Every structure is written in C-alpha cells, then in structure tokens.
Amino acid sequence: QVQLVESGGGLVQAGDSLRLSCAASGRTLSSYVMGWFRQAPGKERNFVAVINRSGTNTFYADSVKGRFTISRDNAKNTVYLQMNSLKPEDTAVYYCAASNSAYFYTTTDGYPYWGQGTQVTVSS
C-alpha cells in the first residue's frame, strides 16, 4: 500500500505560480496512475489532472487546461502539479491520489489511496 504526502501549498496573489509536490512511500510510485483533485469549502472534491505510470500521457480538467501541468519523477517517487496564472477560484485544498488501474479516472472512486491535502489560497 502506498502512502502519499502533499506539500507546497500556500497563500499567493492572483497571477502567481505554485508547484505542489506529492511524495510517495511504501510502494514504488511507478506502479500507479496518479491524479490531483481539489476541494473548495462546502463543495465536492473535483478532478484536476491525471498522469499515466510512465509520465508520457496526461489529462486535465477544462478549468485548468493551459495553466496547470502535472508531471512525475518516478526515481524520486514524487508527482508534481505546476500551477501558473492562478485565480481566486483555484482556492481549495489540493489532494493527490493513486490508482492501481491504468484507466484515467476523473472521479474520486477510481482512487483508493489519498494524501492528507495541502491548502492553496489565491487572493484577488
């Protein structure tokens, strides 16, 4: 079983950038498809991005396409989410998640393993 720990969140202004990291332990990260989700206060947890096991294929939510980039370094057992041109509506707790399936799930039920989340706050 894999354990996931997110880091890199913080308070930034609109237009700024942040890079989130998700460090894995317990099992090698290359065994998993990895996703990022986010949850704003009072709202459901929503899909942000997903990357395949080798890092050669990605998929994004429309709301972040062109601004966010998911990547992974399997040698470092880490997945990243580079977030550029941040907007106040990007404010949320960001979670990384791992899936045993090769399918690109965009719903939370496709991911059995989750980190604890990291807060991202974007001020206007």
Side-chain angles (χ1 to χ4, degrees), residues 41-91:
K43 296 189 176 181
E44 294 183 347
R45 192 171 298 187
N46 291 323
F47 168 77
V48 174
V50 61
I51 189 167
N52 68 342
R53 294 183 177 113
S54 63
T56 56
N57 195 16
T58 59
F59 181 72
Y60 298 90
D62 287 343
S63 58
V64 307
K65 200 174 297 182
R67 300 188 298 123
F68 290 11
T69 302
I70 187 171
S71 62
R72 65 193 298 160
D73 186 339
N74 287 337
K76 294 183 178 180
N77 255 15
T78 303
V79 175
Y80 304 97
L81 186 68
Q82 177 68 43
M83 306 186 295
N84 298 330
S85 303
L86 282 161
K87 305 175 181 180
E89 51 263 43
D90 294 318
T91 295

Side-chain angles (χ1 to χ4, degrees), residues 9-31:
L11 171 63
V12 297
Q13 293 187 333
D16 285 351
S17 298
L18 274 178
R19 188 176 80 157
L20 306 183
S21 299
C22 173
S25 61
R27 286 197 65 180
T28 179
L29 195 67
S30 59
S31 301

Side-chain angles (χ1 to χ4, degrees), residues 27-43:
R27 286 197 65 180
T28 179
L29 195 67
S30 59
S31 301
Y32 301 93
V33 165
M34 298 297 297
W36 283 97
F37 287 73
R38 65 186 181 185
Q39 188 167 19
K43 296 189 176 181

